[in-house]
Amino acid sequence: MKRSDIIRSMQVQFKHMRFADAAAILDTVADKMIESVASGNRIEIRGFGTFQPRARATKIGYNPCTGQPMHLNASTTILFKPSRELTKEMNE
């Protein structure tokens, strides 16, 4: 599903909503989620799942082509854990 598909589904559910208004709402929600996770906060959306930042330590990796060891810097990534309801829906 793409951004435009989400906006169209919002317009279908809310008949009088303009495309620009639905796009602004979606962008605002996405920006706030990005801002929150980037500042180190956990986001919980009931019935969907949680997003939380996860730190990765510095480690030694290997180049898959040459097999040579290489230094991988510490980084932060996002961990998504689906809710029970989402997992159940996916497995039906």
Side-chain angles (χ1 to χ4, degrees), residues 12-51:
V12 167
Q13 186 165 356
F14 304 103
K15 304 284 187 222
H16 300 292
M17 185 177 286
R18 295 182 311 145
F19 185 88
D21 295 337
I25 291 168
L26 183 60
D27 290 342
T28 301
V29 170
D31 289 343
K32 293 298 176 186
M33 289 176 70
I34 291 168
E35 197 176 288
S36 182
V37 171
S39 66
N41 297 322
R42 178 177 177 265
I43 298 173
E44 179 180 338
I45 302 172
R46 299 277 169 113
F48 184 69
T50 59
F51 298 90

Side-chain angles (χ1 to χ4, degrees), residues 3 9 12 14 20 27 31 40 47 50 53 59 71-72 75-76 85:
R3 178 180 176 272
S9 67
V12 167
F14 304 103
D27 290 342
D31 289 343
T50 59
K59 64 181 182 179
H71 178 75
L72 300 173
S75 63
T76 304
E85 293 88 7

